[in-house]
């Protein structure tokens, strides 16, 4: 038990040190940029983009992909909401540069952005090859990373919140991709 306590103390120390350093870097121009970036991961944006992606997939008769996207993102949101209540971690102290309600751990922006943008990149990469496919994967990864970093910069999350959000989101993304691959092989039929 003492080892777990020590690990938590060490993580908290790192979180506070990084928060202190990032807060010292605040500049109006960076704050404006990170506010826009964080908007790419908020609920309204993800719901709108997911709805649009679902409509496009249904029009293209890609029912399985639409179903996996909607069920996967909704499941990730439910898991994130439950985990926030279970852990009950308060947000970083100090001025929050954007509004953030509720608890801090895990980061919903990091978790849900990884699930949504990661799965959309997977869908699009099914139809691309070579450098275009690789470029899309890099761009998607960069957007996801910047959304996570924006939450630290804007002082609404600790680094460990972001890492946990990415880790849990990665599990959901893995399950969604595997589910699609199994459905394509008709394993479930």
């Amino acid at each position: 038990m003492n080892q777990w306590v020590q690990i938590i103390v060490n993580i908290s120390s790192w979180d506070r040190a990084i928060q202190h350093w990032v807060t010292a870097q605040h500049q109006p121009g960076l704050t404006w940029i990170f506010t826009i970036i964080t908007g790419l991961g908020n609920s309204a944006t993800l719901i709108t983009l997911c709805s649009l992606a679902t409509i496009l997939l249904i029009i293209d008769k890609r029912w399985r992909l639409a179903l996996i996207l909607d069920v996967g993102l909704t499941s990730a949101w439910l898991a994130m909401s439950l985990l926030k209540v279970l852990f009950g971690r308060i947000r970083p102290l100090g001025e929050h540069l954007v509004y953030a309600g509720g608890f801090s751990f895990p980061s919903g922006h990091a978790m849900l952005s990884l699930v949504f943008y990661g799965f959309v990149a997977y869908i699009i990469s099914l139809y691309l090859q070579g450098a275009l496919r690789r470029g899309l994967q890099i761009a998607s990864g960069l957007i996801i990373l910047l959304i996570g970093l924006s939450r630290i910069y804007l002082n609404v999350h600790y680094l460990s919140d972001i890492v946990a959000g990415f880790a849990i989101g990665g599990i959901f993304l893995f399950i969604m991709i595997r589910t699609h691959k199994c459905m394509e092989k008709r394993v479930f039929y």
Side-chain angles (χ1 to χ4, degrees):
M1 187 67 160
N2 286 338
Q3 289 177 330
W4 287 109
V5 171
Q6 188 59 43
I7 289 170
I8 291 169
V9 167
N10 288 342
I11 291 171
S12 294
S13 296
W14 274 96
D15 280 340
R16 285 190 305 278
I18 291 167
Q19 176 198 15
H20 179 73
W21 182 83
V22 169
T23 302
Q25 310 309 312
H26 286 173
Q27 299 173 20
L30 279 176
T31 300
W32 181 78
I33 290 168
F34 278 120
T35 300
I36 291 170
I37 291 169
T38 209
L40 295 172
N42 71 25
S43 297
T45 301
L46 292 177
I47 290 169
T48 301
L49 292 176
C50 185
S51 299
L52 179 61
T54 299
I55 290 167
L56 292 173
L57 289 167
I58 290 171
I59 289 170
D60 198 36
K61 298 189 184 341
R62 306 288 181 187
W63 312 100
R64 292 179 189 134
L65 288 169
L67 180 66
I68 294 167
L69 174 62
D70 291 346
V71 170
L73 190 59
T74 301
S75 298
W77 180 82
L78 290 170
M80 178 264 313
S81 299
L82 176 65
L83 289 168
K84 281 182 179 283
V85 170
L86 287 175
F87 284 97
R89 185 179 195 188
I90 62 168
R91 294 192 180 271
L93 299 175
E95 180 184 7
H96 298 165
L97 301 180
V98 292
Y99 172 77
F103 294 116
S104 181
F105 185 91
S107 168
H109 274 68
M111 183 174 165
L112 300 177
S113 293
L114 192 141
V115 170
F116 176 75
Y117 292 111
F119 196 67
V120 168
Y122 166 74
I123 292 169
I124 295 170
S125 72
L126 294 173
Y127 306 99
L128 300 176
Q129 297 297 321
L132 197 54
R133 181 181 191 168
R134 190 71 182 135
L136 171 74
Q137 292 166 338
I138 291 169
S140 177
L142 188 59
I143 289 169
I144 293 164
L145 179 64
L146 287 172
I147 290 170
L149 292 175
S150 75
R151 304 303 284 170
I152 298 168
Y153 179 88
L154 296 168
N155 199 38
V156 292
H157 280 292
Y158 294 107
L159 175 63
S160 59
D161 300 337
I162 303 302
V163 170
F166 284 157
I168 299 164
I171 293 167
F172 275 90
L173 180 59
F174 174 80
I175 292 168
M176 291 164 69
I177 291 170
R178 289 296 301 153
T179 300
H180 177 254
K181 289 181 177 182
C182 288
M183 288 176 115
E184 288 299 300
K185 292 179 182 176
R186 301 190 181 273
V187 170
F188 295 122
Y189 290 81

